[in-house]
C-alpha cells in the first residue's frame, strides 16, 4: 500500500512528534508498505523518509521545481517526482496514495489533508483519511466537523472515512483493515 503522509518541513518543539514520526516510518518500512510524501530532507519530512529507508522501505518524494531549485529535496529516495508547482504536486500525491495520513503540521499540512477530507466526503476518493491526533492536536478540527453535522451542513455519512487516531496503533489498525 502507498501511504501518503502530510507533515511539516520543520520539527516543531515537541520531541514526542519526532519520535512518533520515526516510529511510523519504521512501521511503514518493516510492514512492506511504501511512503509517498513531499520529498523534503528537512524537519519531520526528512525524519520520516530516513526512518522508512532505514527500515528497508520504499520512499517516493513529490516536490515542485522551486523546492528543487532551493535544494530542499532528499537525495536518498527510491524515487523523486518533480512537478511544475504545488497544485500538480498535491494532485500527484493523491494519485499515488492508497491511504492518507496527516501528522500535526502547519498550514500546508492542513490545506493538503482538507483536500483529502473533501474528496472522501464527496466519494471522489475511496481511501482512509487519518488525522494523527497526537496530544489532541486536531481536536479543534474534530469539534468543527462535529459542529458541521449538528448544524446540518454535513452528515456522519459524508464524513465516513475520516478518522482521528490517538496513537500509531490506531493508525496501523485503520490501515491494516484497508489491505
Amino acid at each position: 500500500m502507498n501511504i501518503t503522509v502530510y507533515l511539516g518541513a520543520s520539527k516543531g518543539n515537541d520531541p514526542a512528534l519526532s519520535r512518533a514520526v520515526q516510529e511510523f516510518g519504521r512501521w511503514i518500512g518493516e510492514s512492506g508498505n511504501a511512503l509517498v510524501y513531499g520529498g523534503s530532507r528537512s524537519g519531520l519530512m526528512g525524519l520520516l523518509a530516513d526512518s522508512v529507508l532505514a527500515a528497508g522501505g520504499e520512499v517516493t518524494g513529490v516536490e515542485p521545481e522551486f523546492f528543487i531549485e532551493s535544494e530542499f529535496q532528499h537525495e536518498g529516495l527510491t524515487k523523486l517526482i518533480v512537478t511544475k508547482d504545488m497544485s500538480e504536486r498535491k494532485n500527484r500525491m493523491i494519485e499515488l496514495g492508497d491511504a492518507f495520513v496527516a501528522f500535526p503540521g502547519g498550514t500546508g499540512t492542513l490545506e493538503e489533508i482538507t483536500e483529502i477530507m473533501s474528496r472522501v466526503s464527496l466519494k471522489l476518493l475511496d481511501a482512509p483519511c487519518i488525522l494523527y491526533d497526537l496530544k489532541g492536536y486536531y481536536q479543534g478540527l474534530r469539534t468543527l466537523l462535529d459542529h458541521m453535522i449538528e448544524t446540518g451542513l454535513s452528515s456522519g455519512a459524508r464524513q465516513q472515512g475520516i478518522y482521528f487516531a490517538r496513537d500509531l496503533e490506531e493508525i496501523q489498525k485503520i490501515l491494516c483493515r484497508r489491505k
Side-chain angles (χ1 to χ4, degrees):
M1 175 186 322
N2 284 334
I3 303 170
T4 299
V5 180
Y6 303 107
L7 69 173
S10 64
K11 287 186 180 176
N13 57 18
D14 186 348
L17 187 50
S18 291
R19 287 191 301 272
V21 164
Q22 290 172 314
E23 184 180 346
F24 188 55
R26 272 193 306 277
W27 177 79
I28 290 173
E30 291 172 357
S31 66
N33 291 299
L35 171 66
V36 175
Y37 86 118
S40 179
R41 69 175 187 271
S42 59
L44 296 174
M45 293 173 76
L47 283 176
L48 180 62
D50 289 342
S51 61
V52 173
L53 292 166
E58 293 188 3
V59 177
T60 299
V62 184
E63 200 152 40
E65 289 174 350
F66 71 90
F67 280 167
I68 300 293
E69 292 164 5
S70 299
E71 299 181 357
F72 290 124
Q73 76 274 7
H74 192 297
E75 297 292 342
L77 303 179
T78 310
K79 183 176 185 180
L80 178 64
I81 298 170
V82 179
T83 62
K84 68 179 189 268
D85 56 30
M86 292 295 281
S87 293
E88 184 181 336
R89 172 198 197 194
K90 185 168 55 170
N91 286 327
R92 191 73 174 116
M93 289 174 71
I94 293 169
E95 289 170 9
L96 293 169
D98 299 308
F100 301 85
V101 177
F103 270 76
T107 55
T109 300
L110 181 62
E111 188 265 337
E112 290 171 317
I113 200 62
T114 55
E115 168 100 13
I116 301 302
M117 293 167 64
S118 179
R119 289 183 185 212
V120 167
S121 73
L122 293 170
K123 309 298 184 227
L124 298 174
L125 185 60
D126 180 24
C129 172
I130 305 167
L131 293 106
Y132 182 22
D133 195 26
L134 179 72
K135 296 183 178 183
Y137 189 83
Y138 283 113
Q139 280 305 297
L141 182 56
R142 185 175 203 158
T143 299
L144 178 59
L145 291 176
D146 290 342
H147 185 64
M148 289 174 180
I149 293 170
E150 291 165 10
T151 59
L153 297 171
S154 187
S155 67
R158 295 287 304 261
Q159 293 183 19
Q160 189 174 3
I162 300 170
Y163 304 93
F164 290 83
R166 291 179 305 252
D167 55 38
L168 294 171
E169 186 176 315
E170 245 182 282
I171 293 172
Q172 292 163 357
K173 284 180 185 175
I174 294 165
L175 293 174
C176 287
R177 282 194 305 245
R178 182 67 180 182
K179 281 187 169 184

